[in-house]
Amino acid sequence: MSGPNTNYDPVEVAALEPAAVDAAVAHALRAIAAVSSLEGLKAARIAHQGEKSPLALANREIGALPPSAKAEAGKRVGQARGRVGQAIAARQAQLEAERDSRILVEERVDVTVPTLRRPLGARHPIELVAQRLADSFVGMGWEVAEGPELEAEWLNFDALNLGPDHPARQMQDTFFLDPVDSGLVLRTHTSPVQIRTMLEKEPPIYVVAPGKVFRTDELDATHTPVFHQIECLAIDAGLTMAHLRGAIDAFVQIMFGAGTRTRVRASYFPFTEPSMETDFVCFACHGAGSIDAGGSAVQCRTCGGSGWIELGGSGMVNRKVLRACGIDPEVYSGFAFGLGIERALMLRHGVQGMHEMVEGDVRFSQQFGMEV
Ligand code: FA5
């Protein structure tokens, strides 16, 4: 015979009565149905499924029942808790679906609405070409040199053997600065960097100087008042025209690749002797000098009918210039060339005229990406 069940507490066990369990379930189902938010459901779950909920307390009382009553009470409470659990899960799914469809409406994005976009800028192809050329020469052991855009008239002209009355001084239409006797000009070419370099450095000298230059030229297909040149200067013992041709060939190879049609012809610059000019074949008439206009040939306006466009000037540095810079022409000789970067870009990419290059429309620059 077993002794009396001392844990048996008739008051507590009342919670296991079918009516009490049904009431707890009904109360829980009403509360669950009444919640209108996921936060509310969380509170209902704690109240009706949590450790202190009536059904959890009832469950705990099962242990106090006599063994013969445990199975039935356990089944009753288990089923009750199952119903509450299912109701919570169903309401949770309902509330989540409502939340998701509300978010879809509230956070709807109309991808067709025009936006205030800030497009990325682009580096101007002139800058990219200048950089690429300078880098190529640096790769061959040359140094980059610089000079100011506001230049001493003496360095821009006189030191380059262009004295005040020299007729060639008129070759480059100049922006002078007020007052006229200030002795300052907006540099008309990058050649004064030659003088600055020779005054500063001892031979051997191998420098490349890209930069902006200014002339009172009208804007047309092949001219602009503000443009860019790249100047190359080499001073060493024993340099000849053959070295100059080699340097120009290297430049043309780097810039335009093999098969580019260029030509050299004799020319005149007071600071080089002898001098020559490098031309490239006209991008508009492809060297013909004329263009077909409705069956009849008219003179090509881009190249003036010559079929060629001037790329740059060059020559052996004049002995007078070497001497003025303190370099002995009996020991050293040198060559220099100066090319128009806008013209180089026209040839390389078939840009049809200066206008596109000076207008500053970012869509023009974007075509070239970050590398040309
Ligand atoms: C000179 O400026 C000489 N300093 C070049 C030189 C350097 C000769 C070293 C000898 C030794 P020129 O005035 O020809 O030369 O100009 C050189 C190049 O600049 C031209 O061949 C052309 O490609 C470019 N150029 C000249 N004027 C313009 C312009 N208005 N717009 C765009 N490019 C121009």
Side-chain angles (χ1 to χ4, degrees):
M1 289 273 291
S2 58
N5 186 346
T6 48
N7 290 332
Y8 191 78
D9 178 346
V11 177
E12 290 286 333
V13 172
L16 289 167
E17 300 256 319
V21 171
D22 286 349
V25 170
H27 185 207
L29 295 185
R30 268 197 309 279
I32 291 163
V35 297
S36 57
S37 66
L38 286 162
E39 291 72 33
L41 185 65
K42 196 173 165 192
R45 179 186 285 118
I46 294 167
H48 299 284
Q49 216 184 17
E51 284 177 1
K52 293 185 182 156
S53 65
L55 289 175
L57 292 176
N59 194 49
R60 236 176 276 150
E61 294 307 327
I62 293 170
L65 290 177
S68 57
K70 274 186 181 167
E72 195 200 338
K75 189 175 170 194
R76 187 177 328 124
V77 174
Q79 282 175 346
R81 296 180 86 191
R83 284 178 66 195
V84 172
Q86 276 169 10
I88 288 174
R91 188 72 186 124
Q92 166 116 9
Q94 237 175 11
L95 289 170
E96 281 177 354
E98 279 171 27
R99 179 203 56 195
D100 291 350
S101 32
R102 193 174 56 248
I103 286 174
L104 282 178
V105 173
E106 284 173 4
E107 297 181 12
R108 184 169 160 259
V109 176
D110 183 353
V111 291
T112 64
V113 172
T115 56
L116 280 174
R117 281 210 197 132
R118 280 172 196 263
L120 290 180
R123 289 188 68 198
H124 197 281
I126 297 292
E127 280 297 320
L128 295 174
V129 170
Q131 186 78 54
R132 183 190 164 96
L133 284 170
D135 284 354
S136 309
F137 276 85
V138 167
M140 294 190 282
W142 295 49
E143 281 177 67
V144 175
E146 282 181 344
E149 290 168 5
L150 190 59
E151 184 58 283
E153 199 177 339
W154 185 82
L155 288 165
N156 194 79
F157 291 124
D158 303 68
L160 285 161
N161 198 29
L162 283 142
D165 302 320
H166 199 297
R169 203 142 163 159
Q170 311 309 318
M171 279 162 62
Q172 298 175 354
D173 296 322
T174 311
F175 286 107
F176 290 91
L177 256 84
D178 261 349
V180 178
D181 61 6
S182 68
L184 291 172
V185 295
L186 285 177
R187 67 177 176 188
T188 57
H189 52 174
T190 41
S191 296
V193 183
Q194 285 186 34
I195 304 297
R196 287 177 173 275
T197 308
M198 286 189 277
L199 289 173
E200 246 173 50
K201 289 178 188 286
E202 294 291 318
I205 293 171
Y206 290 88
V207 293
V208 57
K212 197 181 278 177
V213 301
F214 310 83
R215 291 186 196 175
T216 59
D217 287 343
E218 292 289 333
L219 182 64
D220 66 19
T222 53
H223 294 84
T224 154
V226 181
F227 59 102
H228 298 75
Q229 290 187 338
I230 186 158
E231 189 90 8
C232 300
L233 170 73
I235 308 285
D236 208 338
L239 290 182
T240 67
M241 285 287 275
H243 296 105
L244 171 58
R245 280 305 309 270
I248 291 179
D249 283 351
F251 170 89
V252 170
Q253 286 284 304
I254 292 164
M255 194 58 206
F256 310 112
T260 309
R261 282 175 68 198
T262 56
R263 69 171 187 188
V264 289
R265 61 189 159 82
S267 185
Y268 171 72
F269 296 98
F271 38 97
T272 49
E273 180 59 38
S275 303
M276 60 187 199
E277 204 96 52
T278 304
D279 299 335
F280 62 88
V281 78
C282 174
F283 54 81
C285 66
H286 306 289
S290 60
I291 282 182
D292 180 43
S296 58
V298 293
Q299 193 189 62
C300 175
R301 281 172 42 195
T302 305
C303 62
S306 71
W308 296 92
I309 294 174
E310 188 189 307
L311 178 62
S314 60
M316 300 305 292
V317 179
N318 193 316
R319 293 166 67 89
K320 280 191 190 170
V321 174
L322 289 177
R323 220 173 278 122
C325 294
I327 295 174
D328 184 351
E330 299 305 324
V331 181
Y332 294 106
S333 57
F335 64 80
F337 60 95
L339 304 124
I341 296 181
E342 279 78 359
R343 301 269 178 96
L345 194 67
M346 283 176 152
L347 173 58
R348 194 165 199 268
H349 292 283
V351 178
Q352 298 290 304
M354 288 290 164
H355 294 84
E356 284 186 279
M357 276 185 253
V358 301
E359 272 164 0
D361 188 333
V362 74
R363 289 170 298 180
F364 170 72
S365 300
Q366 275 166 340
Q367 299 173 79
F368 298 90
M370 295 306 284
E371 176 58 84
V372 294

PDB file of all heavy atoms in Angstrom, residues 108-115 117:
ATOM      1  N   ARG A 108       6.916  51.642 -51.611  1.00  0.00           N
ATOM      2  CA  ARG A 108       6.928  51.429 -53.059  1.00  0.00           C
ATOM      3  C   ARG A 108       7.870  52.445 -53.713  1.00  0.00           C
ATOM      4  O   ARG A 108       7.874  53.622 -53.360  1.00  0.00           O
ATOM      5  CB  ARG A 108       5.502  51.628 -53.581  1.00  0.00           C
ATOM      6  CG  ARG A 108       5.347  51.362 -55.024  1.00  0.00           C
ATOM      7  CD  ARG A 108       3.868  51.319 -55.365  1.00  0.00           C
ATOM      8  NE  ARG A 108       3.692  51.540 -56.774  1.00  0.00           N
ATOM      9  CZ  ARG A 108       3.331  52.689 -57.305  1.00  0.00           C
ATOM     10  NH1 ARG A 108       3.059  53.723 -56.541  1.00  0.00           N
ATOM     11  NH2 ARG A 108       3.220  52.796 -58.610  1.00  0.00           N
ATOM     12  N   VAL A 109       8.677  51.973 -54.640  1.00  0.00           N
ATOM     13  CA  VAL A 109       9.610  52.872 -55.345  1.00  0.00           C
ATOM     14  C   VAL A 109       9.177  52.950 -56.798  1.00  0.00           C
ATOM     15  O   VAL A 109       9.047  51.930 -57.473  1.00  0.00           O
ATOM     16  CB  VAL A 109      11.055  52.323 -55.274  1.00  0.00           C
ATOM     17  CG1 VAL A 109      11.995  53.189 -56.087  1.00  0.00           C
ATOM     18  CG2 VAL A 109      11.513  52.255 -53.841  1.00  0.00           C
ATOM     19  N   ASP A 110       8.960  54.184 -57.239  1.00  0.00           N
ATOM     20  CA  ASP A 110       8.584  54.361 -58.646  1.00  0.00           C
ATOM     21  C   ASP A 110       9.867  54.591 -59.439  1.00  0.00           C
ATOM     22  O   ASP A 110      10.453  55.672 -59.404  1.00  0.00           O
ATOM     23  CB  ASP A 110       7.641  55.564 -58.771  1.00  0.00           C
ATOM     24  CG  ASP A 110       7.175  55.732 -60.212  1.00  0.00           C
ATOM     25  OD1 ASP A 110       7.692  55.003 -61.084  1.00  0.00           O
ATOM     26  OD2 ASP A 110       6.295  56.577 -60.448  1.00  0.00           O
ATOM     27  N   VAL A 111      10.284  53.538 -60.107  1.00  0.00           N
ATOM     28  CA  VAL A 111      11.584  53.643 -60.808  1.00  0.00           C
ATOM     29  C   VAL A 111      11.492  54.515 -62.052  1.00  0.00           C
ATOM     30  O   VAL A 111      12.503  54.813 -62.673  1.00  0.00           O
ATOM     31  CB  VAL A 111      12.131  52.241 -61.190  1.00  0.00           C
ATOM     32  CG1 VAL A 111      12.548  51.465 -59.981  1.00  0.00           C
ATOM     33  CG2 VAL A 111      11.124  51.487 -62.036  1.00  0.00           C
ATOM     34  N   THR A 112      10.280  54.941 -62.385  1.00  0.00           N
ATOM     35  CA  THR A 112      10.157  55.785 -63.586  1.00  0.00           C
ATOM     36  C   THR A 112      10.234  57.275 -63.252  1.00  0.00           C
ATOM     37  O   THR A 112      10.303  58.110 -64.138  1.00  0.00           O
ATOM     38  CB  THR A 112       8.820  55.519 -64.305  1.00  0.00           C
ATOM     39  OG1 THR A 112       7.763  55.915 -63.417  1.00  0.00           O
ATOM     40  CG2 THR A 112       8.650  54.067 -64.688  1.00  0.00           C
ATOM     41  N   VAL A 113      10.248  57.612 -61.929  1.00  0.00           N
ATOM     42  CA  VAL A 113      10.306  59.036 -61.576  1.00  0.00           C
ATOM     43  C   VAL A 113      11.697  59.582 -61.904  1.00  0.00           C
ATOM     44  O   VAL A 113      12.700  58.974 -61.541  1.00  0.00           O
ATOM     45  CB  VAL A 113      10.023  59.214 -60.057  1.00  0.00           C
ATOM     46  CG1 VAL A 113      10.276  60.649 -59.618  1.00  0.00           C
ATOM     47  CG2 VAL A 113       8.590  58.814 -59.748  1.00  0.00           C
ATOM     48  N   PRO A 114      11.758  60.707 -62.623  1.00  0.00           N
ATOM     49  CA  PRO A 114      13.086  61.261 -62.937  1.00  0.00           C
ATOM     50  C   PRO A 114      13.806  61.677 -61.658  1.00  0.00           C
ATOM     51  O   PRO A 114      13.180  62.235 -60.759  1.00  0.00           O
ATOM     52  CB  PRO A 114      12.784  62.496 -63.801  1.00  0.00           C
ATOM     53  CG  PRO A 114      11.323  62.513 -64.021  1.00  0.00           C
ATOM     54  CD  PRO A 114      10.668  61.516 -63.122  1.00  0.00           C
ATOM     55  N   THR A 115      15.088  61.368 -61.575  1.00  0.00           N
ATOM     56  CA  THR A 115      15.835  61.687 -60.345  1.00  0.00           C
ATOM     57  C   THR A 115      16.830  62.798 -60.612  1.00  0.00           C
ATOM     58  O   THR A 115      17.164  63.067 -61.758  1.00  0.00           O
ATOM     59  CB  THR A 115      16.622  60.461 -59.858  1.00  0.00           C
ATOM     60  OG1 THR A 115      17.459  60.051 -60.929  1.00  0.00           O
ATOM     61  CG2 THR A 115      15.715  59.346 -59.417  1.00  0.00           C
ATOM     62  N   ARG A 117      20.130  63.234 -60.734  1.00  0.00           N
ATOM     63  CA  ARG A 117      21.401  62.496 -60.720  1.00  0.00           C
ATOM     64  C   ARG A 117      22.572  63.449 -60.801  1.00  0.00           C
ATOM     65  O   ARG A 117      22.507  64.438 -61.492  1.00  0.00           O
ATOM     66  CB  ARG A 117      21.454  61.571 -61.931  1.00  0.00           C
ATOM     67  CG  ARG A 117      20.662  60.354 -61.682  1.00  0.00           C
ATOM     68  CD  ARG A 117      21.237  59.181 -62.437  1.00  0.00           C
ATOM     69  NE  ARG A 117      20.202  58.167 -62.459  1.00  0.00           N
ATOM     70  CZ  ARG A 117      19.839  57.513 -63.528  1.00  0.00           C
ATOM     71  NH1 ARG A 117      20.431  57.732 -64.670  1.00  0.00           N
ATOM     72  NH2 ARG A 117      18.885  56.617 -63.472  1.00  0.00           N
TER      73      ARG A 117
END
